[in-house]
Amino acid sequence: FITKLSVLFCLLITLTITSSQAQCVIDSSQTQPGLHPDSLLAATVNQYYTQDVTFVLITDTLGLTISNFLIQSINGLPLGLQWSCNHASNGCNYNPAQSIYGCVRFYGTPLLAGTYPMSVTVVATVAFIGNQTFNFNTNLIIDPATTSNNGFSMINSIGCAPLTVGFVN
């Protein structure tokens, strides 16, 4: 019985931590349509990363009402990172008539250094026209890990072969 209770307790703690990591926070001080910030902060290999991106939606284009935005996909995320939107329960659909705000959280521990081109696909439902697909592109830079001690530091000390490690005395 105690073993089952311990396992249940550990599972609940894990679910609580996971759900709290995946919930983004909207920066409601932003008033201009678009993404805020408009570029992602750099991450570091083997260090936990989290960044929230707030988006401010438009309600119409050329006088035509937009009734829904859907974040269809985010492609190109580095290995070890995930994303979650604040409307995950309804499939990341946003109705700008209800709120012009939404957000996405990028989180996790990146495993490999590099520059990762990412593409966000959004489908907007426009009155009289129907669904229109848009892609937004950005880059996420993952810096190599740095290790140091009293004698020297190493840059990019963990990885798969072939691996180039830099030493600074």
Side-chain angles (χ1 to χ4, degrees):
F1 175 75
I2 293 187
T3 303
K4 288 180 182 179
L5 187 58
S6 297
V7 170
L8 179 61
F9 181 71
C10 289
L11 181 61
L12 288 174
I13 288 175
T14 302
L15 291 174
T16 301
I17 290 170
T18 302
S19 66
S20 67
Q21 291 172 341
Q23 183 59 48
C24 58
V25 177
I26 292 174
D27 178 0
S28 58
S29 69
Q30 302 298 332
T31 58
Q32 295 299 313
L35 301 176
H36 306 283
D38 59 359
S39 60
L40 299 173
L41 297 173
T44 302
V45 170
N46 295 325
Q47 291 183 12
Y48 186 78
Y49 176 82
T50 183
Q51 180 166 7
D52 291 349
V53 176
T54 294
F55 47 89
V56 181
L57 304 170
I58 59 173
T59 57
D60 68 71
T61 181
L62 302 173
L64 300 173
T65 302
I66 299 174
S67 60
N68 191 66
F69 286 93
L70 164 66
I71 302 174
Q72 189 173 49
S73 64
I74 299 179
N75 294 312
L77 272 176
L79 189 61
L81 291 185
Q82 301 174 49
W83 69 277
S84 179
C85 69
N86 66 317
H87 281 197
S89 62
N90 75 349
C92 297
N93 282 283
Y94 295 86
N95 180 345
Q98 293 175 350
S99 175
I100 60 169
Y101 292 104
C103 65
V104 170
R105 174 169 285 179
F106 296 96
Y107 64 96
T109 304
L111 302 177
L112 298 171
T115 299
Y116 294 87
M118 295 175 14
S119 177
V120 180
T121 302
V122 176
V123 178
T125 305
V126 183
F128 304 111
I129 295 175
N131 290 342
Q132 300 294 306
T133 302
F134 302 94
N135 287 310
F136 299 95
N137 298 310
T138 189
N139 289 318
L140 177 57
I141 297 171
I142 308 295
D143 293 327
T146 302
T147 304
S148 62
N149 63 29
N150 290 337
F152 61 92
S153 64
M154 294 182 291
I155 299 171
N156 204 28
S157 61
I158 299 172
C160 298
L163 177 68
T164 302
V165 179
F167 292 92
V168 178
N169 187 355

PDB file of all heavy atoms in Angstrom, residues 144-148 152-158 163-169:
ATOM      1  N   PRO A 144      26.772  26.516 -27.213  1.00  0.00           N
ATOM      2  CA  PRO A 144      27.399  25.347 -26.593  1.00  0.00           C
ATOM      3  C   PRO A 144      27.538  25.553 -25.095  1.00  0.00           C
ATOM      4  O   PRO A 144      27.627  26.681 -24.612  1.00  0.00           O
ATOM      5  CB  PRO A 144      28.765  25.264 -27.268  1.00  0.00           C
ATOM      6  CG  PRO A 144      28.929  26.479 -28.090  1.00  0.00           C
ATOM      7  CD  PRO A 144      27.636  27.215 -28.137  1.00  0.00           C
ATOM      8  N   ALA A 145      27.572  24.453 -24.368  1.00  0.00           N
ATOM      9  CA  ALA A 145      27.761  24.514 -22.915  1.00  0.00           C
ATOM     10  C   ALA A 145      29.197  24.914 -22.600  1.00  0.00           C
ATOM     11  O   ALA A 145      30.119  24.597 -23.342  1.00  0.00           O
ATOM     12  CB  ALA A 145      27.448  23.158 -22.292  1.00  0.00           C
ATOM     13  N   THR A 146      29.383  25.627 -21.505  1.00  0.00           N
ATOM     14  CA  THR A 146      30.714  26.010 -21.042  1.00  0.00           C
ATOM     15  C   THR A 146      30.948  25.379 -19.682  1.00  0.00           C
ATOM     16  O   THR A 146      30.094  25.452 -18.800  1.00  0.00           O
ATOM     17  CB  THR A 146      30.821  27.542 -20.922  1.00  0.00           C
ATOM     18  OG1 THR A 146      30.543  28.118 -22.194  1.00  0.00           O
ATOM     19  CG2 THR A 146      32.198  27.969 -20.476  1.00  0.00           C
ATOM     20  N   THR A 147      32.107  24.749 -19.523  1.00  0.00           N
ATOM     21  CA  THR A 147      32.492  24.144 -18.254  1.00  0.00           C
ATOM     22  C   THR A 147      33.784  24.802 -17.808  1.00  0.00           C
ATOM     23  O   THR A 147      34.675  25.046 -18.626  1.00  0.00           O
ATOM     24  CB  THR A 147      32.724  22.628 -18.431  1.00  0.00           C
ATOM     25  OG1 THR A 147      31.543  22.068 -18.988  1.00  0.00           O
ATOM     26  CG2 THR A 147      33.036  21.957 -17.118  1.00  0.00           C
ATOM     27  N   SER A 148      33.904  25.099 -16.516  1.00  0.00           N
ATOM     28  CA  SER A 148      35.142  25.729 -16.057  1.00  0.00           C
ATOM     29  C   SER A 148      35.528  25.215 -14.678  1.00  0.00           C
ATOM     30  O   SER A 148      34.711  24.680 -13.937  1.00  0.00           O
ATOM     31  CB  SER A 148      34.990  27.252 -16.026  1.00  0.00           C
ATOM     32  OG  SER A 148      33.991  27.628 -15.120  1.00  0.00           O
ATOM     33  N   PHE A 152      41.110  26.142 -16.136  1.00  0.00           N
ATOM     34  CA  PHE A 152      40.711  26.439 -17.502  1.00  0.00           C
ATOM     35  C   PHE A 152      39.210  26.277 -17.652  1.00  0.00           C
ATOM     36  O   PHE A 152      38.531  25.758 -16.775  1.00  0.00           O
ATOM     37  CB  PHE A 152      41.447  25.539 -18.503  1.00  0.00           C
ATOM     38  CG  PHE A 152      41.168  24.080 -18.314  1.00  0.00           C
ATOM     39  CD1 PHE A 152      40.141  23.466 -19.000  1.00  0.00           C
ATOM     40  CD2 PHE A 152      41.927  23.316 -17.432  1.00  0.00           C
ATOM     41  CE1 PHE A 152      39.864  22.123 -18.823  1.00  0.00           C
ATOM     42  CE2 PHE A 152      41.660  21.973 -17.258  1.00  0.00           C
ATOM     43  CZ  PHE A 152      40.638  21.373 -17.947  1.00  0.00           C
ATOM     44  N   SER A 153      38.730  26.732 -18.794  1.00  0.00           N
ATOM     45  CA  SER A 153      37.321  26.514 -19.110  1.00  0.00           C
ATOM     46  C   SER A 153      37.231  25.809 -20.462  1.00  0.00           C
ATOM     47  O   SER A 153      38.136  25.922 -21.295  1.00  0.00           O
ATOM     48  CB  SER A 153      36.552  27.836 -19.144  1.00  0.00           C
ATOM     49  OG  SER A 153      37.031  28.662 -20.170  1.00  0.00           O
ATOM     50  N   MET A 154      36.154  25.053 -20.638  1.00  0.00           N
ATOM     51  CA  MET A 154      35.916  24.333 -21.883  1.00  0.00           C
ATOM     52  C   MET A 154      34.608  24.833 -22.476  1.00  0.00           C
ATOM     53  O   MET A 154      33.623  24.990 -21.761  1.00  0.00           O
ATOM     54  CB  MET A 154      35.792  22.830 -21.629  1.00  0.00           C
ATOM     55  CG  MET A 154      37.049  22.173 -21.133  1.00  0.00           C
ATOM     56  SD  MET A 154      36.840  20.396 -20.922  1.00  0.00           S
ATOM     57  CE  MET A 154      35.719  20.332 -19.532  1.00  0.00           C
ATOM     58  N   ILE A 155      34.628  25.050 -23.761  1.00  0.00           N
ATOM     59  CA  ILE A 155      33.419  25.432 -24.479  1.00  0.00           C
ATOM     60  C   ILE A 155      33.027  24.262 -25.362  1.00  0.00           C
ATOM     61  O   ILE A 155      33.855  23.754 -26.115  1.00  0.00           O
ATOM     62  CB  ILE A 155      33.645  26.701 -25.314  1.00  0.00           C
ATOM     63  CG1 ILE A 155      34.037  27.864 -24.396  1.00  0.00           C
ATOM     64  CG2 ILE A 155      32.400  27.055 -26.128  1.00  0.00           C
ATOM     65  CD1 ILE A 155      34.497  29.097 -25.123  1.00  0.00           C
ATOM     66  N   ASN A 156      31.754  23.837 -25.256  1.00  0.00           N
ATOM     67  CA  ASN A 156      31.234  22.709 -26.017  1.00  0.00           C
ATOM     68  C   ASN A 156      31.837  21.399 -25.527  1.00  0.00           C
ATOM     69  O   ASN A 156      32.366  20.605 -26.290  1.00  0.00           O
ATOM     70  CB  ASN A 156      31.478  22.900 -27.518  1.00  0.00           C
ATOM     71  CG  ASN A 156      30.500  22.118 -28.349  1.00  0.00           C
ATOM     72  OD1 ASN A 156      29.390  21.861 -27.909  1.00  0.00           O
ATOM     73  ND2 ASN A 156      30.896  21.744 -29.538  1.00  0.00           N
ATOM     74  N   SER A 157      31.758  21.174 -24.216  1.00  0.00           N
ATOM     75  CA  SER A 157      32.414  20.015 -23.606  1.00  0.00           C
ATOM     76  C   SER A 157      31.587  18.732 -23.669  1.00  0.00           C
ATOM     77  O   SER A 157      32.093  17.667 -23.328  1.00  0.00           O
ATOM     78  CB  SER A 157      32.753  20.323 -22.152  1.00  0.00           C
ATOM     79  OG  SER A 157      31.560  20.594 -21.439  1.00  0.00           O
ATOM     80  N   ILE A 158      30.335  18.813 -24.082  1.00  0.00           N
ATOM     81  CA  ILE A 158      29.484  17.630 -24.134  1.00  0.00           C
ATOM     82  C   ILE A 158      28.845  17.553 -25.514  1.00  0.00           C
ATOM     83  O   ILE A 158      28.355  18.554 -26.030  1.00  0.00           O
ATOM     84  CB  ILE A 158      28.387  17.705 -23.054  1.00  0.00           C
ATOM     85  CG1 ILE A 158      28.995  17.765 -21.669  1.00  0.00           C
ATOM     86  CG2 ILE A 158      27.432  16.526 -23.170  1.00  0.00           C
ATOM     87  CD1 ILE A 158      27.987  18.024 -20.573  1.00  0.00           C
ATOM     88  N   LEU A 163      33.337  16.030 -32.193  1.00  0.00           N
ATOM     89  CA  LEU A 163      33.057  17.160 -31.316  1.00  0.00           C
ATOM     90  C   LEU A 163      34.289  18.026 -31.204  1.00  0.00           C
ATOM     91  O   LEU A 163      35.387  17.521 -30.963  1.00  0.00           O
ATOM     92  CB  LEU A 163      32.646  16.643 -29.924  1.00  0.00           C
ATOM     93  CG  LEU A 163      32.388  17.699 -28.859  1.00  0.00           C
ATOM     94  CD1 LEU A 163      31.133  18.495 -29.207  1.00  0.00           C
ATOM     95  CD2 LEU A 163      32.228  17.064 -27.500  1.00  0.00           C
ATOM     96  N   THR A 164      34.133  19.314 -31.392  1.00  0.00           N
ATOM     97  CA  THR A 164      35.221  20.257 -31.228  1.00  0.00           C
ATOM     98  C   THR A 164      35.049  20.944 -29.883  1.00  0.00           C
ATOM     99  O   THR A 164      34.000  21.528 -29.603  1.00  0.00           O
ATOM    100  CB  THR A 164      35.215  21.309 -32.355  1.00  0.00           C
ATOM    101  OG1 THR A 164      35.321  20.630 -33.607  1.00  0.00           O
ATOM    102  CG2 THR A 164      36.360  22.281 -32.198  1.00  0.00           C
ATOM    103  N   VAL A 165      36.068  20.834 -29.035  1.00  0.00           N
ATOM    104  CA  VAL A 165      36.045  21.439 -27.706  1.00  0.00           C
ATOM    105  C   VAL A 165      37.081  22.546 -27.670  1.00  0.00           C
ATOM    106  O   VAL A 165      38.220  22.355 -28.087  1.00  0.00           O
ATOM    107  CB  VAL A 165      36.349  20.389 -26.613  1.00  0.00           C
ATOM    108  CG1 VAL A 165      36.343  21.031 -25.231  1.00  0.00           C
ATOM    109  CG2 VAL A 165      35.355  19.249 -26.674  1.00  0.00           C
ATOM    110  N   GLY A 166      36.677  23.716 -27.184  1.00  0.00           N
ATOM    111  CA  GLY A 166      37.597  24.837 -27.048  1.00  0.00           C
ATOM    112  C   GLY A 166      38.062  24.951 -25.608  1.00  0.00           C
ATOM    113  O   GLY A 166      37.253  24.815 -24.678  1.00  0.00           O
ATOM    114  N   PHE A 167      39.371  25.156 -25.400  1.00  0.00           N
ATOM    115  CA  PHE A 167      39.932  25.301 -24.063  1.00  0.00           C
ATOM    116  C   PHE A 167      40.493  26.705 -23.908  1.00  0.00           C
ATOM    117  O   PHE A 167      41.164  27.217 -24.803  1.00  0.00           O
ATOM    118  CB  PHE A 167      41.070  24.292 -23.848  1.00  0.00           C
ATOM    119  CG  PHE A 167      40.610  22.873 -23.809  1.00  0.00           C
ATOM    120  CD1 PHE A 167      40.580  22.106 -24.960  1.00  0.00           C
ATOM    121  CD2 PHE A 167      40.180  22.291 -22.631  1.00  0.00           C
ATOM    122  CE1 PHE A 167      40.153  20.791 -24.946  1.00  0.00           C
ATOM    123  CE2 PHE A 167      39.749  20.993 -22.590  1.00  0.00           C
ATOM    124  CZ  PHE A 167      39.740  20.235 -23.750  1.00  0.00           C
ATOM    125  N   VAL A 168      40.217  27.345 -22.758  1.00  0.00           N
ATOM    126  CA  VAL A 168      40.749  28.653 -22.446  1.00  0.00           C
ATOM    127  C   VAL A 168      41.445  28.535 -21.102  1.00  0.00           C
ATOM    128  O   VAL A 168      40.849  28.117 -20.108  1.00  0.00           O
ATOM    129  CB  VAL A 168      39.629  29.713 -22.371  1.00  0.00           C
ATOM    130  CG1 VAL A 168      40.209  31.072 -21.989  1.00  0.00           C
ATOM    131  CG2 VAL A 168      38.856  29.797 -23.671  1.00  0.00           C
ATOM    132  N   ASN A 169      42.757  28.897 -21.084  1.00  0.00           N
ATOM    133  CA  ASN A 169      43.565  28.796 -19.863  1.00  0.00           C
ATOM    134  C   ASN A 169      43.297  30.009 -18.988  1.00  0.00           C
ATOM    135  O   ASN A 169      43.315  31.108 -19.401  1.00  0.00           O
ATOM    136  CB  ASN A 169      45.045  28.692 -20.221  1.00  0.00           C
ATOM    137  CG  ASN A 169      45.885  28.407 -19.007  1.00  0.00           C
ATOM    138  OD1 ASN A 169      45.400  28.380 -17.888  1.00  0.00           O
ATOM    139  ND2 ASN A 169      47.162  28.177 -19.254  1.00  0.00           N
TER     140      ASN A 169
END
